[in-house]
């Protein structure tokens, strides 16, 4: 918030595949949409309705492309788009915010958004993984943003939480291009480690929403649990989140600071 | 992430292909710049040792049979199918480091072979097939294994475990190609052949073969593919001019046409339910392995001819010459690329030079327009933005100057989040410890263990990880009780006080968010428990009153009259807002939730405000029934409160 970011209303755990995947230009055949990775809902199984016109534009983009893209060229299925699920990332909400930003009264205006909230993945559980965890997400929508802006914003953010040495590595996400993995030199671990993911949302995602041609959206995200576990030297995620947390740990936890004078 | 493909290559082979010897650190750095990851440096022997159960001693003979040669395990981006074999990876890296100017262009030569498709039958199960012929291939053990590995990689990734595309490769010399080859779908009982898995010559009918693969432990690697066609009335079959079966896609090839180290001419057929992907798959195999042909980088085309009804609409004229090896030119604005990457000084010449580093050549620029070439190995390029990213990679992401977006924006919190945070502080001051518990729960914990009937208001999962996580919680109480249970060895002598402010999810077919109705909504709640030597009913009651005071909600006259309210004259209340506490009745307004409280020791909280109207139940509190304490193994009397928070905004 100190950086001018507005919180997004993320109190929405049940999501449609449409917003969670399709609106982000993630194809319906993508492995992340498998039952192995995503929790699908039994009741209510299907979404009742999504914005009609926008749905058609998203479908066309997947099937045929447009706005300079050749699209994915496959048959887009309504049943797949309407499958309800527990959201796998808060990017589903980011997508809705950008859609609203594009269609608000008065038209698009530059904005910065953030969220910190829960997501659900059908992952193999182990010491550092549960099926629920929390994501931190930030995005900036403005005219003619560049990778330089993305790198600069990310550095400002991580500087505030004590990580000052950063490197960026080319990566792949279905919904961002360019994409970068963020690596930081962790002061506690004394080693370089991956600390987040980032990118510029694809035009195939932004144009059907109605965002103007020269508006670019840069975004980055990280999990909340992992950096917390590193900072407080917690080995098992169950010691941090859930009913197996020891009250003793909660009661003796220090105030959270990143500005120690050492 | 689970979806990232991994390629294992011998370090020595990779360095030979790259034309220089990298140290592990240098190669790691190259991977970082290019966007791939050196995940592990290991060897066959090390992998074998890792696979042993802990404490086991390896047998000397087993150990010595495993090579100690260094092997790199490289993680690759999920959208670059050309990097899935050493041939493609080394080609890409050589061009990136400047050892090669460009990738070789594959030349198509018209071949004599035709694949006739019986569309009436194939349209019911697997409509598409694309083919190619590679002449005079030189196979040694290494090339052969690489050839098989690439097919496995493609099958696992792009082909989605063979459901979308399946690759069959055959020794053309063992095939009767004196007439057209045939692709159709036939009744399973009538398809007989000797499959690749049975070199002893056992022949099977297709339906019996699928049963065999589904049950025989020796063939368990094929079991996952059986369901793809098992229930179809017709099975896809590729056969030669004499009617001998070449393959039963997507399950298995025939023994007759198997590739051996002596194979010279190769027939590749890819059957599919997605034509776009079939072409990408075939093009990738051809681009990667045509280098081993007698005429390097030459591929012979096959005509695929649909006959009969129900030919797919996306095969114009019912005929295609494959492989497509589609190449297109793509135009992009140099200034837009420079703007996206964030290097305004990039010139047209720079951009052309950088295109050549990332397999987008030939490239040229005229004024502000860049024209580059998107060949068959770059099926990941969908839009000029993909070119911009590659230019950025070639320039080096870490060379880009940092900036910060100039526009000023105002930050802020979402209302319900802010209210929750303010209340957290106050409630903590009252001696309550905050917890954060799981959103997924079991039907037992959510209903029956709380003495509540199983309701229809919960969102349930189709594929829960296990029974502990089958529904999304409709109450925060079980999480708190389980926390008490886990911490039962702590001191309860002075009362243990816990709270949580978080969401529950309820079924709701009316709730609209962003013009969308999914059939459920989140509800922000506050829930607290007191557990100690006494039940503490008055303590949770006091917490409810405290929350109302903090939220500027005044007590109704009727309520004040029954209590000792000295500080009442200081209390601030919003116009039109008030609340009252009433005893919970058996079938009262509190609903079945109040069955959790000991009879006579439960109460409902009713709020009046301009939006809700008069006295709507927004929560409840009370002393929990001892049966619940038993169900959750809580050893002390306990009281609880749970209340909606959004209504207090």
């Amino acid at each position: 918030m100190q950086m001018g970011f507005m919180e997004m209303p993320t109190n929405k755990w049940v999501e449609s595949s449409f917003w969670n995947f399709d609106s982000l230009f993630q194809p319906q055949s993508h492995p992340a949409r498998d039952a192995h990775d995503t929790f699908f809902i039994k009741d209510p199984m299907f979404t009742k309705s999504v914005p009609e016109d926008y749905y058609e534009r998203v479908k066309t983009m997947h099937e045929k492309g447009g706005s300079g893209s050749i699209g994915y060229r496959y048959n887009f299925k309504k049943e797949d788009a309407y499958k309800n699920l527990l959201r796998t990332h808060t990017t589903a909400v980011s997508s809705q915010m950008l859609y609203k930003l594009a269609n608000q009264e008065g038209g698009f205006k530059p904005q910065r958004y953030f969220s910190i909230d829960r997501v659900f993945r059908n992952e193999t559980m182990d010491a550092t993984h549960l099926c629920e965890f929390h994501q931190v997400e930030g995005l900036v929508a403005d005219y003619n943003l560049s990778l330089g802006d993305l790198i600069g914003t990310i550095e400002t953010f991580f500087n505030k939480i004590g990580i000052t040495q950063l490197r960026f590595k080319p990566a792949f996400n279905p919904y961002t291009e360019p994409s970068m993995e963020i690596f930081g030199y962790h002061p506690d671990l004394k080693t370089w480690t991956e600390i987040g993911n980032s990118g510029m949302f694809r035009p195939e995602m932004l144009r059907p929403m109605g965002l103007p041609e020269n508006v670019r959206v840069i975004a980055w995200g990280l999990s909340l649990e992992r950096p917390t576990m590193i900072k407080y030297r917690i080995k098992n995620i169950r010691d941090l989140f859930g009913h197996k947390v020891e009250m003793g740990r909660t009661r003796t936890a220090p105030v959270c600071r990143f500005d120690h004078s050492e | 992430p689970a979806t990232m493909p991994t390629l294992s290559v011998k370090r020595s082979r990779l360095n030979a292909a790259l034309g220089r010897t990298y140290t592990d650190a240098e190669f790691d750095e190259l991977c970082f710049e290019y966007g791939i990851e050196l995940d592990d440096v290991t060897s066959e022997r090390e992998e074998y040792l890792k696979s042993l159960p802990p404490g086991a001693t390896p047998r000397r003979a087993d150990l010595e049979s495993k090579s100690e040669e260094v092997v790199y395990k490289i993680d690759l981006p999920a959208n670059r199918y050309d990097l899935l074999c050493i041939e493609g990876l080394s080609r890409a890296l050589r061009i990136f480091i400047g050892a090669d100017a460009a990738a070789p262009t594959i030349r198509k030569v018209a071949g004599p072979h035709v694949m006739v498709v019986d569309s009436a039958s194939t349209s019911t199960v697997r409509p598409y097939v694309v083919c190619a012929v590679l002449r005079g291939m030189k196979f040694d053990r290494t090339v052969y294994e690489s050839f098989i590995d690439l097919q496995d990689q493609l099958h696992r990734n792009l082909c989605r475990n063979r459901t979308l595309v399946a690759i069959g490769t055959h020794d053309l010399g063992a095939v009767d190609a004196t007439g057209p080859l045939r692709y159709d779908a036939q009744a399973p009982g009538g398809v007989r052949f000797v499959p690749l898995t049975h070199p002893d010559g056992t022949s099977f009918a297709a339906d019996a073969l699928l049963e065999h693969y589904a049950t025989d432990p020796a063939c368990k690697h094929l079991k996952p593919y059986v369901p793809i066609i098992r229930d179809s009335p017709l099975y896809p079959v590729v056969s030669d001019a004499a009617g001998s079966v070449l393959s039963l896609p997507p399950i298995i090839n025939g023994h007759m046409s198997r590739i051996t180290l002596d194979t010279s001419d190769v027939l590749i057929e890819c059957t599919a339910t997605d034509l776009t992907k079939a072409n990408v798959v075939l093009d990738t195999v051809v681009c990667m392995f045509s280098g081993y042909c007698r005429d390097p980088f030459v591929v012979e085309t096959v005509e695929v001819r649909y006959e009969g009804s129900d030919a797919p609409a996306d095969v114009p004229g019912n005929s295609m010459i494959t492989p497509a090896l589609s190449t297109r030119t793509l135009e992009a604005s140099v200034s837009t690329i420079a703007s996206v990457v964030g290097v305004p000084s990039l010139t047209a010449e720079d951009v052309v030079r950088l295109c050549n580093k990332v397999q987008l050549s030939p490239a040229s620029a005229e004024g502000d327009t860049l024209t580059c070439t998107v060949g068959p190995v770059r099926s990941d390029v969908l839009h000029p933005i993909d070119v911009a990213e590659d230019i950025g990679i070639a320039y080096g992401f870490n060379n880009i100057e940092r900036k910060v977006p100039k526009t000023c924006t105002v930050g802020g919190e979402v209302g319900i989040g802010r209210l929750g945070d303010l209340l957290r502080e106050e409630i903590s001051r009252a001696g309550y410890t905050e917890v954060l518990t799981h959103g997924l729960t079991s039907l037992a914990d959510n209903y029956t263990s709380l003495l509540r009937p199983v309701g229809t208001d919960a969102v349930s999962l189709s594929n829960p990880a296990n029974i502990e996580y089958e529904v999304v919680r409709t109450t925060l109480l079980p999480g708190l009780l389980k926390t008490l249970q886990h911490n039962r060895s702590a001191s309860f002598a002075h009362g243990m006080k816990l709270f949580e402010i978080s969401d529950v999810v309820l079924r709701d077919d009316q709730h609209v968010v962003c013009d969308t109705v999914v059939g459920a909504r989140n509800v922000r709640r506050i829930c607290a428990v007191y557990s100690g030597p006494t039940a503490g009913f008055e303590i949770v009651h006091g917490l409810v009153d405290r929350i109302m005071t903090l939220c500027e909600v005044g007590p109704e006259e009727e309520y004040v009259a029954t209590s000792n309210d000295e500080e009442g004259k200081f209390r601030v209340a919003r116009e039109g807002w008030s609340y009252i506490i009433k005893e919970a009745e058996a079938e009262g307004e509190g609903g079945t939730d109040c069955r959790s409280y000991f009879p006579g020791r439960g109460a409902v909280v009713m709020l009046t405000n301009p939006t809700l109207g008069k006295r709507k139940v927004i929560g409840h509190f009370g002393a929990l029934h001892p049966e619940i304490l038993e169900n959750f193994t809580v050893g002390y009397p306990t009281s609880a409160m749970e209340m909606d928070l959004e209504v207090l905004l």
Side-chain angles (χ1 to χ4, degrees):
Chain A
M1 285 192 307
Q2 286 177 14
M3 292 164 60
F5 282 74
M6 174 72 71
E7 190 177 14
M8 296 187 268
T10 48
N11 47 340
K12 189 179 187 218
W13 291 354
V14 176
E15 193 53 89
S16 63
S17 291
F18 177 71
W19 284 108
N20 198 77
F21 293 123
D22 299 304
S23 76
L24 298 175
F25 198 57
Q26 193 153 349
Q28 293 184 335
S29 62
H30 194 277
R33 297 176 78 148
D34 239 10
H36 292 304
D37 285 349
T38 299
F39 287 117
F40 287 99
I41 310 285
K42 184 160 79 178
D43 178 43
M45 191 174 276
F46 293 106
T47 302
K48 310 264 172 297
S49 65
V50 303
E52 289 285 332
D53 293 342
Y54 176 54
Y55 170 87
E56 289 301 322
R57 293 196 296 271
V58 169
K59 177 178 150 119
T60 304
M61 184 57 84
H62 280 241
E63 289 190 329
K64 302 196 184 82
S67 304
S69 173
I70 59 173
Y72 288 125
R73 292 146 288 136
Y74 73 99
N75 288 327
F76 188 87
K77 294 211 205 81
K78 187 172 184 173
E79 317 88 78
D80 284 355
Y82 273 50
K83 273 196 194 142
N84 279 340
L85 43 78
L86 286 181
R87 67 168 176 224
T88 59
H89 44 199
T90 46
T91 323
V93 177
S94 304
S95 188
Q96 290 167 23
M97 298 308 288
L98 290 172
Y99 173 78
K100 285 198 264 205
L101 193 61
N103 296 289
Q104 70 189 351
E105 194 141 333
F108 168 80
K109 289 192 183 49
Q111 188 59 273
R112 288 178 172 82
Y113 291 118
F114 82 95
S115 66
I116 304 174
D117 207 337
R118 197 171 304 203
V119 298
F120 303 83
R121 295 217 186 141
N122 192 5
E123 278 178 349
T124 320
M125 289 188 263
D126 58 30
T128 52
H129 292 89
L130 286 168
C131 8
E132 314 175 31
F133 62 101
H134 297 81
Q135 280 188 332
V136 176
E137 186 157 334
L139 50 136
V140 183
D142 200 351
Y143 298 98
N144 301 315
L145 291 175
S146 70
L147 276 188
D149 290 310
L150 179 56
I151 291 174
T153 305
I154 291 170
E155 284 195 346
T156 313
F157 171 80
F158 278 102
N159 281 355
K160 280 200 170 287
I161 57 172
I163 300 180
T164 52
Q165 293 179 73
L166 292 147
R167 291 184 70 202
F168 297 85
K169 176 179 173 178
F172 169 69
N173 292 319
Y175 40 89
T176 53
E177 185 86 7
S179 313
M180 309 190 296
E181 266 164 26
I182 311 166
F183 283 76
Y185 184 80
H186 206 286
D188 294 331
L189 295 177
K190 307 235 185 303
T191 178
W192 285 87
T193 182
E194 190 186 334
I195 54 176
N197 214 323
S198 68
M200 201 179 278
F201 285 131
R202 289 195 71 105
E204 291 94 335
M205 173 184 162
L206 304 180
R207 298 290 92 76
M209 286 177 179
L211 285 168
E213 185 83 32
N214 53 351
V215 166
R216 300 193 197 130
V217 184
I218 54 178
W220 80 99
L222 58 149
S223 103
L224 189 58
E225 280 78 2
R226 190 161 176 270
T228 312
M229 285 169 72
I230 294 174
K231 183 175 172 67
Y232 295 106
R233 294 170 179 59
I234 297 173
K235 296 270 182 336
N236 193 317
I237 194 174
R238 287 156 192 74
D239 292 334
L240 181 64
F241 174 28
H243 56 269
K244 294 202 174 146
V245 173
E246 298 291 332
M247 288 295 102
R249 181 191 298 270
T250 312
R251 282 207 268 261
T252 54
V255 288
C256 182
R257 288 176 57 205
F258 296 100
D259 56 343
H260 292 104
S261 54
E262 74 202 321
Chain B
T3 52
M4 273 183 99
T6 306
L7 179 67
S8 292
V9 282
K10 295 204 174 99
R11 178 175 64 187
S12 54
R13 191 162 173 228
L14 185 61
N15 281 319
L18 292 177
R20 66 166 263 203
T21 306
Y22 284 88
T23 63
D24 292 348
E26 284 169 343
F27 186 69
D28 186 57
E29 186 57 36
L30 174 62
C31 287
F32 193 92
E33 266 187 67
Y34 190 67
I36 59 183
E37 184 171 345
L38 179 60
D39 185 51
D40 202 6
V41 181
T42 180
S43 69
E44 210 180 57
R45 190 172 294 194
E46 244 187 81
E47 289 293 290
Y48 168 68
L49 287 169
K50 272 192 232 165
S51 72
L52 294 174
T57 349
R59 297 216 317 257
R60 175 179 233 127
D62 284 344
L63 194 61
E64 289 184 352
S65 71
K66 306 283 176 213
S67 155
E68 275 191 302
E69 257 205 87
V70 175
V71 169
Y72 279 166
K73 286 196 175 205
I74 304 172
D75 279 349
L76 304 163
N79 66 338
R80 287 296 299 269
Y81 312 110
D82 62 313
L83 303 179
L84 292 173
C85 57
I86 189 175
E87 288 81 0
L89 178 63
S90 58
R91 183 177 300 168
L93 289 177
R94 283 180 65 92
I95 294 169
F96 189 66
I97 62 178
D100 281 340
T105 318
I106 319 289
R107 189 162 63 87
K108 285 194 254 190
V109 153
H113 298 298
V114 178
M115 173 76 78
V116 166
V117 185
D118 173 48
S119 42
S121 61
T122 57
S123 63
T124 65
V125 61
R126 208 168 176 85
Y128 304 101
V129 67
V130 291
C131 314
V133 167
L134 296 177
R135 294 269 177 208
M137 289 273 291
K138 282 218 58 71
F139 278 108
D140 61 24
R141 178 107 293 227
T142 316
V143 174
Y144 176 80
E145 278 172 11
S146 200
F147 193 56
I148 302 296
D149 285 348
L150 176 61
Q151 293 174 56
D152 285 342
Q153 291 272 20
L154 288 168
H155 277 155
R156 266 201 299 276
N157 295 293
L158 181 56
C159 304
R160 302 290 282 118
N161 288 320
R162 303 193 196 178
T163 52
L164 299 182
V165 186
I167 309 165
T169 52
H170 309 275
D171 184 335
L172 191 52
V175 166
D176 180 346
T178 55
L181 306 166
R182 190 170 166 81
Y183 174 55
D184 59 13
Q186 302 175 24
V191 183
R192 278 206 89 84
F193 69 113
V194 176
L196 202 57
T197 44
H198 289 74
D200 60 358
T202 321
S203 94
F204 286 81
D207 49 1
L209 184 61
L210 254 54
E211 273 319 302
H212 178 79
Y213 288 152
T215 52
D216 187 328
C219 300
K220 66 180 198 283
H221 59 291
L222 292 172
K223 186 173 170 184
Y225 310 115
V226 167
I228 302 175
I229 55 166
R230 174 199 250 154
D231 294 330
S232 169
L234 303 173
Y235 288 179
V237 182
V238 178
S239 34
D240 68 11
S244 310
V245 172
L246 300 183
S247 68
L248 182 71
I251 312 292
I252 189 82
N253 288 355
H255 177 74
M256 180 190 88
S257 54
R258 72 197 178 285
I259 306 259
T260 67
L261 296 186
D262 297 323
T263 299
S264 179
D265 296 341
V266 175
L267 166 71
I268 310 170
E269 36 93 355
C270 299
T271 57
T273 54
D274 180 319
L275 182 59
T276 306
K277 293 188 175 57
N279 279 322
V280 171
V281 168
L282 183 62
D283 287 355
T284 305
V285 177
V286 166
C287 288
M288 296 301 114
F289 284 88
S290 56
Y292 297 108
C293 289
R294 179 186 308 124
D295 267 338
F297 308 114
V298 173
V299 66
E300 201 179 278
T301 62
V302 173
E303 183 197 344
V304 174
R305 192 189 301 154
Y306 282 79
E307 286 178 359
S309 59
D310 295 325
D314 46 355
V315 180
N318 295 341
S319 161
M320 353 182 232
I321 305 292
T322 64
L325 288 180
S326 49
T327 302
R328 66 184 203 279
T329 54
L330 188 146
E331 282 186 3
S333 147
V334 173
S335 52
T336 305
I337 292 174
S339 165
V340 166
V341 174
V343 182
S345 59
L346 271 183
T347 64
E349 289 75 49
D350 291 329
V351 168
V352 167
R353 178 177 48 83
L354 295 169
C355 274
N356 293 332
K357 273 182 89 168
V358 287
Q359 295 186 265
L360 288 171
S361 56
S364 62
E366 176 102 30
D368 187 55
T369 307
L370 165 76
T371 307
C372 63
T373 311
V374 180
V377 301
R378 295 308 310 272
S379 55
D380 60 298
V381 175
L382 304 177
H383 183 283
I385 197 73
D386 296 291
V387 174
E389 179 185 66
D390 275 12
I391 304 287
I393 294 173
Y395 182 83
F397 282 173
N398 295 292
N399 296 328
I400 300 172
E401 199 188 318
R402 289 105 175 81
K403 290 168 60 223
V404 193
K406 290 205 211 60
T407 316
C408 276
T409 51
V410 177
E413 262 182 283
V414 164
I416 190 63
R418 177 127 189 85
L419 178 62
D421 285 347
L422 290 167
L423 288 176
R424 277 190 176 89
E425 295 297 319
E426 294 299 325
I427 296 171
S428 299
R429 265 177 253 220
Y432 288 79
T433 303
E434 189 177 6
V435 302
L436 182 69
T437 62
H438 297 311
L440 294 174
T441 184
S442 64
L443 282 170
D445 284 345
N446 199 65
Y447 293 113
T448 53
S449 298
L450 297 176
L451 306 185
R452 300 174 189 180
V454 175
T456 51
D457 54 348
V459 170
S460 54
L461 300 187
S462 294
N463 55 328
N466 61 53
I467 204 174
E468 286 302 305
Y469 304 119
E470 55 193 338
V471 290
V472 186
R473 67 187 177 199
T474 60
T475 161
L476 295 175
L477 188 55
L480 294 181
L481 293 175
K482 289 168 82 153
T483 306
L484 286 176
Q485 177 188 53
H486 183 76
N487 283 278
R488 61 186 170 279
S489 57
S491 169
F492 280 64
H494 301 290
M496 170 84 81
K497 299 199 294 215
L498 306 178
F499 81 100
E500 184 163 7
I501 294 179
S502 187
D503 287 355
V504 302
V505 179
L506 299 176
R507 286 281 281 109
D508 185 341
D509 286 340
Q510 311 303 322
H511 187 65
V512 183
V513 174
C514 201
D515 295 337
T516 302
V517 178
V518 293
R521 77 184 146 100
N522 278 35
V523 179
R524 187 70 47 93
R525 296 250 184 94
I526 157 91
C527 184
V529 292
Y530 172 93
S531 190
T534 66
F537 177 91
E538 65 289 353
I539 292 182
V540 297
H541 183 174
L543 181 62
V544 171
D545 287 337
R546 176 106 187 96
I547 292 170
M548 290 306 188
T549 303
L550 289 168
C551 291
E552 297 172 275
V553 182
E556 282 189 32
E557 281 296 320
E558 199 183 305
Y559 179 40
V560 177
T562 63
S563 65
N564 187 356
D565 189 33
E566 280 168 14
E567 293 170 344
K569 57 183 186 283
F570 301 113
R571 194 180 286 114
V572 177
R574 283 180 267 180
E575 192 77 41
W577 288 65
S578 63
Y579 78 102
I580 190 166
I581 310 288
K582 282 207 177 288
E583 183 169 337
E585 268 137 54
E587 300 302 323
E589 288 147 310
T592 53
D593 280 2
C594 290
R595 293 197 200 165
S596 300
Y597 304 120
F598 199 78
R601 301 292 280 155
V604 290
V605 182
M606 302 170 104
L607 178 72
T608 300
N609 76 19
T611 351
L612 272 185
K614 204 151 168 45
R615 293 196 180 174
K616 291 290 186 295
V617 174
I618 61 157
H620 44 75
F621 64 93
L624 291 177
H625 198 289
E627 225 180 287
I628 295 178
L629 303 183
E630 254 183 70
N631 290 337
F632 286 91
T633 326
V634 175
Y636 291 86
T638 303
S639 287
M641 59 80 71
E642 189 167 0
M643 201 156 76
D644 285 348
L645 221 45
E646 290 166 58
V647 290
L648 296 176
L649 267 175

